[in-house]
Amino acid sequence: MDSPLGIFLFEYLVLGVVFVVGLVYAIRQGDVGWRAGEPRRNLLMLVSGCVVYLAIHGFFQFVAVDF
Amino acid sequence: MTASHPAVVGSTIDYVIIVAYFVIVLGFGSIFGRQTHSTKDFFFGGQRFSWWIIAFSLVATTVGSYSFIKYSRVAYTHGLSATMSYTNDWFWMPLLCFVWLPIVFYSRVTSVPEYFERRFDSRVRLLTTVVIMIYLLGYIGINLLTMGVALKAMLGWNVYLAAAAVAVVCGIYVTAGGQTSVIMTDLLQGLMLLVAGFVLFGLGTSRLGGIRRFWSLLPRDHRLPLNYFNRPPEFNFVGVLWQDGVSQTMFAYFINQGMIMRFLSAKSPREGRRALVFLFLVLMFLAAVAVANAGWIGKAMVEAGLLPADLDPQQVFVKVADAVCSPGIFGFVMAALTAALMSTADTLLNATSAIVVNDIYRPYFRAHASDRHYLGVARITSSAAAVIGFGAVFIFASFKSIYTAHGAFTAMVTPPMAAAVMMGALWRRFNTAGAIATILGGSLALAISLVEPEVIRPFSFGVPRGGDYHHAWVFQRALYGLVASMGLGIVTTLFTPPPDAKRISGLVWGTLDDARRRFKGGEPSMEPGPAIVLTVDAVDRTETLDSPYGAAQICPADLARMKAAVGDIIHLAHTNRIYGGLRSIQLQITDAEAAPGTIRVARTSLRDAGLGGVERVRVDKII
């Protein structure tokens, strides 16, 4: 577990659970989803944020470390 | 608190800049406080602010006085992983934005204790009020003491004099203007601390020969943002994840009274959501670099032989600032440190005042006084909180055991409170007995862990016990506390009757439409529409202009353009967006009688919004 990849996976496993649980609640409430308009915008916003975090963490954890 | 002090640094120009900064903040806060006419203004800034003002003020509140010193030290010792505490918040966005924020906003919950009374009963409210008051007053004292110690170390100021200066300045502008002053000064201070942090980073990398040279000087394991899975005991990935990424984040954004008041000062939940997106995606990353970079620069300077190898990590921020900043710039950076403190302290003062007025004075001493009366009490309470907070500085400075006790108390109540709020908001079956079991039982379980730390071992993920008896597994305690609190709450709830569905309507996930209905006093209109610009038709108050919100009239064609109808709540603002909602007000459309292209509003409403004499306004629908 004490490897950069192991730690990275652990981080996104724990916080991923938090995120997905929240997402399920938001989807069931109707504020987030595939439906065109605000729900889809909200879904894209939430997922895009995750991608940004993944990209930044991933870049420094696996790429920039060897610059 | 007893770390050895470095040699005093700073020159006359630095002192002048710091004093000038105090004066500017005081003036800034006092000027913007003139628009405070009610308790709604004093505690929630009139529910009118735009996302960018909320976001910058939130970052200033989040970065505390200790942040520059603490995270520079951690960054010097552990590298980029010092940013872990600042880069976990996004994953809470779905729960925060689509469950908690709408509940708080539409239910008009003014505090967590009030939420607990409405969701459970008055016993739970009393319990949480006591807990939060101890936390808030102690935290004000700790912030002031930390600031005093930092300024003594850096500029040779007397600890108590520095703490008193900050308490007086914050006390004056918070008492004068409440939340509006807090938000506007925090906007200034948020910008200030980010700029100062990046000035330090720029000067530091320049001294080292550029960003590539800086990066190459950092040891390889210092370049990892996630590192040291379960070692050393005092700073490890898994501990920080559970402590900061889970428990503290829940506490900070779901329970912290200052945060809740900031959410409520947004003009709508949608605007609050935008603020959080910008905060988590942009500002928190910038803040992490701003507060930690002195540690990275310090490490690189040591590697380059520009600083001694035996540099004390506790002093790295001051040493780096002194080494790379010229006179004047050093004063600017020190002023940013002061900004970090004041922007936290002012929020705490305002939050304390809100709890005292809304959760103690109003329910237990005087229930049906005028709003003007409560506003007066709020101002007195703000001043008193500053005085008590300053008094706590003497206690914390003299009795280290009390300082430690407050830390232990905070660690003891944070996970149970967070667990109670989360289950209260997400689980309709969760009842009063469950909430009491969660808070009291969870706190008891955590108290046991202070006496017998071995109970934490199953949650330690292999982290060595470390520290003295009371500081064993200091990070892992949060996970243990969350599991214990939630477990007790779930078991107790399942063996006791469910709550009355009507009573908790609007206060729990799945019932938000009820909250929206009550907020508006009618069916919610959630279809977003564009903002439009209308000419003001100012009139004296008439019978048709009557609503608890203050009323407005707009013609049917203009209502159709903004996808609104009679009965909807609208936001009326100055056309210049630079005001960020400072000159604005929420009103209700009571009639469709106005001429096309105009909005009919009472002069008193316009005056209260700071829009007296304004010819055109920007109007958009809230709900």
Side-chain angles (χ1 to χ4, degrees):
Chain A
M1 192 60 81
D2 205 6
S3 67
L5 179 61
I7 294 173
F8 185 82
L9 292 176
F10 192 91
E11 162 102 350
Y12 281 89
L13 179 71
V14 172
L15 295 177
V17 168
V18 171
F19 184 79
V20 169
V21 167
L23 201 58
V24 168
Y25 275 101
I27 288 171
R28 289 179 63 189
Q29 200 164 256
D31 294 322
V32 175
W34 284 114
R35 195 156 41 88
E38 198 156 20
R40 190 181 296 173
R41 274 201 301 276
N42 290 334
L43 180 64
L44 287 175
M45 177 264 290
L46 290 172
V47 174
S48 303
C50 278
V51 172
V52 169
Y53 269 76
L54 264 167
I56 292 174
H57 273 147
F59 174 75
F60 281 100
Q61 191 81 349
F62 304 114
V63 182
V65 69
D66 292 319
F67 279 177
Chain B
M1 309 308 298
T2 56
S4 61
H5 296 149
V8 170
V9 289
S11 61
T12 306
I13 182 88
D14 297 319
Y15 299 142
V16 169
I17 287 173
I18 293 170
V19 171
Y21 178 70
F22 271 90
V23 173
I24 289 169
V25 168
L26 186 58
F28 206 68
S30 302
I31 287 168
F32 287 110
R34 287 185 301 183
Q35 288 190 23
T36 298
H37 307 292
S38 65
T39 51
K40 184 182 171 187
D41 294 335
F42 193 83
F43 294 135
F44 311 114
Q47 293 192 317
R48 60 188 170 179
F49 286 101
S50 298
W51 63 269
W52 58 274
I53 288 187
I54 301 289
F56 275 101
S57 65
L58 276 174
V59 82
T61 299
T62 305
V63 176
S65 59
Y66 57 90
S67 299
F68 282 95
I69 307 291
K70 175 185 167 185
Y71 290 107
S72 293
R73 173 176 58 77
V74 176
Y76 177 77
T77 316
H78 302 293
L80 256 66
S81 55
T83 59
M84 283 193 294
S85 300
Y86 280 68
T87 56
N88 290 317
D89 297 341
W90 180 265
F91 302 89
W92 291 93
M93 277 291 279
L95 287 174
L96 187 54
C97 284
F98 298 103
V99 179
W100 187 236
L101 189 60
I103 286 177
V104 166
F105 193 91
Y106 291 126
S107 297
R108 300 183 191 284
V109 167
T110 57
S111 67
V112 166
E114 185 190 335
Y115 175 76
F116 276 126
E117 172 160 2
R118 288 166 63 181
R119 176 68 178 80
F120 305 111
D121 67 14
S122 57
R123 291 171 299 168
V124 188
R125 179 180 197 163
L126 185 60
L127 185 63
T128 50
T129 300
V130 172
V131 165
I132 288 176
M133 279 303 292
I134 294 172
Y135 166 78
L136 282 174
L137 287 173
Y139 200 41
I140 294 170
I142 286 172
N143 265 273
L144 292 174
L145 176 60
T146 311
M147 187 69 220
V149 170
L151 286 182
K152 179 184 168 71
M154 292 165 210
L155 301 170
W157 290 11
N158 178 283
V159 171
Y160 302 110
L161 186 66
V166 172
V168 167
V169 171
C170 287
I172 288 173
Y173 71 72
V174 173
T175 300
Q179 185 70 225
T180 302
S181 292
V182 170
I183 287 175
M184 297 313 291
T185 53
D186 282 11
L187 168 68
L188 173 73
Q189 312 206 72
L191 283 167
M192 173 98 176
L193 63 91
L194 290 178
V195 169
F198 276 86
V199 164
L200 193 61
F201 187 57
L203 292 172
T205 50
S206 172
R207 172 67 62 88
L208 287 161
I211 195 101
R212 280 190 172 275
R213 168 93 171 126
F214 154 71
W215 190 251
S216 69
L217 285 167
L218 284 181
R220 192 174 189 281
D221 65 341
H222 272 57
R223 301 177 195 172
L224 294 169
L226 308 169
N227 204 3
Y228 313 106
F229 182 78
N230 56 10
R231 64 187 161 81
E234 65 274 13
F235 184 83
N236 53 78
F237 162 79
V238 73
V240 174
L241 177 65
W242 289 114
Q243 164 77 15
D244 285 353
V246 177
S247 182
Q248 272 300 332
T249 301
M250 283 161 75
F251 190 82
Y253 292 104
F254 290 81
I255 296 174
N256 185 322
Q257 178 66 15
M259 289 288 182
I260 287 176
M261 291 163 74
R262 205 60 55 82
F263 293 151
L264 286 170
S265 63
K267 73 176 186 185
S268 68
R270 188 177 290 125
E271 207 70 4
R273 208 152 61 217
R274 286 181 187 147
L276 287 171
V277 169
F278 188 63
L279 176 72
F280 291 158
L281 281 188
V282 179
L283 295 183
M284 290 304 274
F285 280 108
L286 298 181
V289 175
V291 299
N293 79 79
W296 306 327
I297 298 287
K299 187 70 180 175
M301 289 178 81
V302 168
E303 296 289 324
L306 296 173
L307 284 175
D310 62 348
L311 178 65
D312 178 1
Q314 188 70 26
Q315 297 178 10
V316 68
F317 178 79
V318 186
K319 291 291 184 189
V320 168
D322 188 39
V324 304
C325 295
S326 55
I329 299 290
F330 182 79
F332 178 67
V333 172
M334 291 304 115
L337 193 79
T338 317
L341 165 79
M342 287 208 281
S343 55
T344 306
D346 59 14
T347 301
L348 291 169
L349 291 179
N350 195 229
T352 305
S353 176
I355 296 281
V356 170
V357 172
N358 294 323
D359 298 301
I360 299 174
Y361 187 75
R362 202 189 297 250
Y364 295 109
F365 291 95
R366 196 159 169 191
H368 302 293
S370 66
D371 191 67
R372 188 181 171 82
H373 175 80
Y374 291 125
L375 182 60
V377 175
R379 292 190 198 280
I380 293 167
T381 312
S382 293
S383 303
V387 172
I388 293 169
F390 180 59
V393 172
F394 290 90
I395 299 170
F396 287 135
S398 306
F399 302 100
K400 192 164 183 289
S401 58
I402 296 178
Y403 181 91
T404 308
H406 185 269
F409 174 78
T410 303
M412 246 171 56
V413 298
T414 303
M417 293 273 287
V421 162
M422 292 303 289
M423 291 200 288
L426 295 176
W427 189 23
R428 273 173 275 193
R429 177 73 173 75
F430 191 51
N431 60 15
T432 303
I436 291 173
T438 301
I439 296 171
L440 286 183
S443 297
L444 182 64
L446 281 156
I448 290 169
S449 78
L450 291 172
V451 180
E452 182 43 71
E454 283 300 316
V455 296
I456 305 173
R457 186 177 288 281
F459 306 91
S460 67
F461 286 92
V463 176
R465 184 164 147 169
D468 60 28
Y469 205 56
H470 293 295
H471 293 93
W473 286 307
V474 65
F475 287 118
Q476 285 67 29
R477 182 169 283 126
L479 175 59
Y480 158 79
L482 278 176
V483 172
S485 306
M486 293 181 113
L488 286 166
I490 290 169
V491 169
T492 307
T493 296
L494 292 176
F495 284 96
T496 46
D500 177 11
K502 272 190 183 171
R503 178 186 162 83
I504 65 170
S505 172
L507 299 165
V508 64
W509 169 82
T511 63
L512 278 180
D513 278 345
D514 294 333
R516 290 185 180 117
R517 254 178 232 113
R518 279 201 287 270
F519 177 84
K520 184 179 172 183
E523 275 305 302
S525 165
M526 298 308 292
E527 186 184 10
I532 60 173
V533 174
L534 297 173
T535 301
V536 173
D537 175 13
V539 295
D540 291 326
R541 186 173 285 278
T542 68
E543 283 182 12
T544 54
L545 284 173
D546 188 28
S547 159
Y549 283 89
Q553 296 176 349
I554 299 176
C555 79
D558 291 329
L559 286 176
R561 277 203 293 154
M562 54 193 287
K563 296 185 178 174
V566 171
D568 287 357
I569 310 295
I570 57 168
H571 182 250
L572 192 83
H574 197 283
T575 49
N576 191 339
R577 291 179 194 229
I578 195 72
Y579 286 110
L582 186 66
R583 297 176 70 179
S584 69
I585 193 169
Q586 279 188 9
L587 297 171
Q588 186 163 32
I589 302 169
T590 54
D591 214 315
E593 290 296 313
T598 67
I599 178 167
R600 188 174 295 163
V601 193
R603 284 195 179 84
T604 48
S605 298
L606 291 167
R607 193 192 59 217
D608 289 348
L611 292 168
V614 171
E615 290 183 359
R616 290 166 72 78
V617 290
R618 184 182 168 80
V619 184
D620 62 343
K621 183 181 75 174
I622 301 293
I623 182 171

